[in-house]
Amino acid sequence: RVQLVESGGGSVQAGGSLLLSCTASGDTDTGNCMAWFRQEEGQRRARVARIGTGGADIDYKYPFRGRATISQDSAGKTTTLKIDNLRRDDSGVYFCAHAPGECWGKVGEADFHDWGQGTQVTVSS
């Protein structure tokens, strides 16, 4: 199993930027697909972005495409998500997620095995 710890949430003004980090430990020596999901109250978790080992298979979902950047450190242990031009409807709990192997075909919650505890992001105007 892989353990994930998120950091960087909080309250942010609309139009500002936010940087979330996820540090992975455990069985990460093989290929990995890392993703960020957002969950609004009463809703299922929806994927924001994903990244594969070595920066492969980067993908962003609407409405974050063009405003979000996902990246990893060289060791593949820390995955960051930067969101610019924040909007009020970006608010929610952001989760880091992990799945072994490549990212191809991994599109939703059920495709990811390991989850962080989540970090609250509140965007105010």
Side-chain angles (χ1 to χ4, degrees):
R1 301 289 293 193
V2 172
Q3 294 76 46
L4 304 171
V5 177
E6 301 109 335
S7 62
S11 296
V12 190
Q13 291 284 323
S17 297
L18 182 74
L19 184 68
L20 302 176
S21 292
C22 172
T23 301
S25 60
D27 186 14
T28 60
D29 290 338
T30 56
N32 301 282
C33 181
M34 299 296 298
W36 283 95
F37 284 73
R38 178 175 66 102
Q39 185 173 32
E40 298 175 85
E41 190 171 348
Q43 303 294 316
R44 298 184 64 86
R45 286 181 282 204
R47 184 164 57 88
V48 175
R50 73 178 186 199
I51 184 170
T53 301
D57 295 322
I58 290 177
D59 178 66
Y60 301 97
K61 302 300 288 184
Y62 177 85
F64 295 95
R65 196 172 294 137
R67 298 190 295 125
T69 304
I70 190 169
S71 60
Q72 280 186 334
D73 65 356
S74 58
K77 298 290 187 181
T78 300
T79 302
T80 59
L81 178 71
K82 184 173 185 285
I83 306 173
D84 297 315
N85 193 20
L86 283 159
R87 307 175 341 193
R88 289 189 64 184
D89 59 5
D90 292 333
S91 297
V93 180
Y94 284 71
F95 292 89
C96 178
H98 165 268
E102 59 185 25
C103 280
W104 187 84
K106 295 180 174 67
V107 296
E109 272 189 282
D111 298 315
F112 291 84
H113 300 184
D114 305 296
W115 294 84
Q117 79 283 1
T119 183
Q120 176 71 47
V121 172
T122 303
V123 183
S124 58
S125 56

